[in-house]
Amino acid sequence: MSTIKYPTAISPVNLSQSSTTYSQRGMSLESDINDSNKYYRACDIALIYKKPTPIQVVRVDYPARNKAKIVEAYYKTPSTTDYNGVYRGCYIDFEAKETKNKTGFPKMMIHDHQIEHLEKVKLHKGIGFFIIRFSYYHQTFLVDAPLLIKEYHQTTKSFIPYKWFLENGQLIKEGLRPRLAYLKEVDAKYFKED
Amino acid sequence: MSTIKYPTAISPVNLSQSSTTYSQRGMSLESDINDSNKYYRACDIALIYKKPTPIQVVRVDYPARNKAKIVEAYYKTPSTTDYNGVYRGCYIDFEAKETKNKTGFPKMMIHDHQIEHLEKVKLHKGIGFFIIRFSYYHQTFLVDAPLLIKEYHQTTKSFIPYKWFLENGQLIKEGLRPRLAYLKEVDAKYFKED
């Protein structure tokens, strides 16, 4: 019987499972939100879209008269968050992040431009929040942006504890239609008086 | 003396002037609006951005470890308008168009997805409008989206007369800071009671 020697202590099965899961999950929060937004739009509940990724186009070829093929381009750093739109007459703006971490959410996953932008959203009386998924627990939280930003600045640690989200976030119900009923949590958090 | 025969009746000088002017003007409304939005953001008056152009990325090369170079990509048809954001707590959404036409604005310059999107903006109690520039007259109008869409559907002609804009649009004041004071017209049109 022969056994294959791998260069690291991690078994190949775990490694493969882990990276597959990671990439699937990395995509799944985004696709869950996109699906939910599609549902909300179809039912005329809200009008919220993911913004396109900003790309700097350098060179375009025209292989046919009406066809433009971009052959050189680069990703640009966005200046805003990923999602915005209108719900119940209010401006909605949020960023979505997913972590595999069990103990907390790494602060480095939130970028300066996102914090600055969400602070401006608050200033202009829009509703700004984060959707944070802890994939290990299969839990997705809606967290008020000013609240999370305050914690971000106050803590000296490099992550915000999972426990903090249990206490300060709103757990988003998952289902089929919509996949992520995050507007229910927007109702609960921002439209309490109704 | 020899003269060069050109294939069309258009003189080369006119052709060249015409296309230069066209391309400059085609860019200038967009850059005027981007400049104005930058000013409005810097003064904390409004938080309005142009959305990135949606691009379908097909192939990416990594010439260096941290550098992604897009080598095959295509422009996608947007599903929304070009600009959105928040002003005085309200959701703002608009599309900007520029024409060289003297007699009217060609209906074909407005696309179905823009009409559908702006109708939804109205439904969700957002503020939706068009910014239409008649470059021949050096005039830029703000026109309420529902009003322009109504005229778009009612008229059997292929364009909406310039005169219609004089009667139904709000002429936007141009200056240095901001280049296009279009939020003044938003105030006049949508915040009359203040």
Side-chain angles (χ1 to χ4, degrees):
Chain A
M1 255 170 58
S2 71
T3 50
I4 303 157
K5 292 275 179 194
Y6 287 92
T8 67
I10 302 156
S11 93
V13 174
N14 283 345
L15 184 69
S16 137
Q17 275 183 342
S18 155
S19 56
T20 308
T21 311
Y22 183 78
S23 74
Q24 281 175 347
R25 283 193 179 154
M27 284 305 293
S28 75
L29 179 59
E30 182 180 321
S31 78
D32 283 357
I33 293 172
N34 288 346
D35 277 2
S36 307
N37 287 341
K38 217 170 164 178
Y39 168 83
Y40 286 138
R41 291 198 303 268
C43 299
D44 282 337
I45 293 168
L47 190 66
I48 298 168
Y49 281 92
K50 182 177 189 297
K51 288 185 205 167
T53 308
I55 287 170
Q56 179 71 52
V57 175
V58 176
R59 204 156 55 84
V60 181
D61 275 0
Y62 293 91
R65 186 182 274 267
N66 290 318
K67 211 180 166 186
K69 181 182 173 184
I70 298 160
V71 293
E72 187 181 352
Y74 301 92
Y75 290 106
K76 285 199 290 186
T77 308
S79 30
T80 65
T81 49
D82 271 353
Y83 303 87
N84 77 352
V86 58
Y87 174 55
R88 296 175 69 169
C90 288
Y91 176 75
I92 298 285
D93 195 302
F94 64 97
E95 184 65 35
K97 301 281 183 194
E98 183 163 19
T99 180
K100 284 171 67 188
N101 205 301
K102 296 175 207 176
T103 50
F105 179 78
K107 277 168 68 177
M108 59 170 281
M109 289 185 76
I110 301 177
H111 305 298
D112 287 348
H113 71 264
Q114 290 159 351
I115 290 180
E116 283 159 27
H117 179 74
L118 285 164
E119 279 172 341
K120 295 285 185 183
V121 167
K122 171 79 178 172
L123 180 76
H124 292 287
K125 300 187 184 69
I127 292 173
F129 52 85
F130 288 90
I131 292 183
I132 306 280
R133 175 172 286 180
F134 284 90
S135 48
Y136 180 83
Y137 300 108
H138 301 286
Q139 285 180 332
T140 308
F141 297 95
L142 184 145
V143 194
D144 181 48
L147 200 66
L148 184 56
I149 290 167
K150 198 181 161 198
E151 185 63 21
Y152 178 97
H153 289 307
Q154 276 179 351
T155 182
T156 50
K157 291 179 188 152
S158 62
F159 61 88
I160 297 166
Y162 167 66
K163 216 185 119 196
W164 185 89
F165 289 87
L166 287 174
E167 284 160 9
N168 295 280
Q170 330 248 141
L171 189 63
I172 298 172
K173 211 183 138 193
E174 306 203 16
L176 268 180
R177 277 183 295 175
R179 276 290 297 122
L180 277 175
Y182 72 90
L183 288 180
K184 265 209 160 110
E185 303 314 315
V186 169
D187 287 339
K189 178 85 189 162
Y190 303 100
F191 295 92
K192 267 177 208 162
E193 67 278 14
D194 303 359
Chain B
M1 253 172 55
S2 73
T3 50
I4 302 160
K5 291 276 181 198
Y6 286 90
T8 68
I10 303 158
S11 94
V13 174
N14 283 346
L15 185 68
S16 140
Q17 276 183 343
S18 154
S19 54
T20 305
T21 310
Y22 182 77
S23 74
Q24 281 174 346
R25 284 193 179 155
M27 283 307 290
S28 76
L29 178 59
E30 183 180 321
S31 79
D32 282 358
I33 293 172
N34 288 345
D35 276 3
S36 306
N37 287 340
K38 218 170 162 177
Y39 169 84
Y40 286 139
R41 289 198 303 268
C43 299
D44 281 337
I45 293 168
L47 191 66
I48 298 169
Y49 281 91
K50 182 176 189 297
K51 287 186 206 166
T53 308
I55 288 171
Q56 178 71 52
V57 175
V58 176
R59 204 154 57 84
V60 182
D61 275 0
Y62 294 90
R65 185 183 274 266
N66 291 319
K67 212 179 165 188
K69 181 182 172 184
I70 298 160
V71 293
E72 186 180 352
Y74 301 92
Y75 291 105
K76 285 198 290 186
T77 308
S79 28
T80 66
T81 48
D82 272 353
Y83 303 88
N84 79 350
V86 57
Y87 173 56
R88 297 175 69 169
C90 287
Y91 177 75
I92 298 285
D93 196 302
F94 64 96
E95 185 65 34
K97 301 282 181 192
E98 184 161 19
T99 181
K100 285 172 67 187
N101 205 301
K102 295 176 207 176
T103 50
F105 179 77
K107 277 169 68 178
M108 58 169 280
M109 289 185 76
I110 301 178
H111 305 298
D112 287 347
H113 71 264
Q114 291 159 350
I115 290 180
E116 281 159 29
H117 179 74
L118 284 164
E119 280 171 342
K120 295 286 185 182
V121 168
K122 170 80 178 172
L123 180 75
H124 292 286
K125 300 187 185 65
I127 292 174
F129 52 85
F130 288 90
I131 292 183
I132 306 279
R133 175 172 285 180
F134 284 90
S135 48
Y136 180 82
Y137 300 107
H138 300 286
Q139 285 180 333
T140 308
F141 296 95
L142 184 145
V143 194
D144 182 47
L147 200 67
L148 183 57
I149 290 167
K150 198 180 160 197
E151 184 64 22
Y152 178 98
H153 288 308
Q154 275 178 353
T155 182
T156 50
K157 290 179 190 154
S158 62
F159 61 88
I160 297 166
Y162 167 66
K163 216 185 119 197
W164 185 89
F165 288 87
L166 287 174
E167 284 160 8
N168 295 280
Q170 331 249 139
L171 189 63
I172 299 172
K173 211 183 138 193
E174 306 204 16
L176 267 181
R177 279 181 296 174
R179 275 290 298 119
L180 276 175
Y182 72 89
L183 288 180
K184 265 207 161 113
E185 303 314 316
V186 169
D187 286 340
K189 178 85 190 162
Y190 302 100
F191 295 91
K192 264 178 210 162
E193 66 279 15
D194 303 359

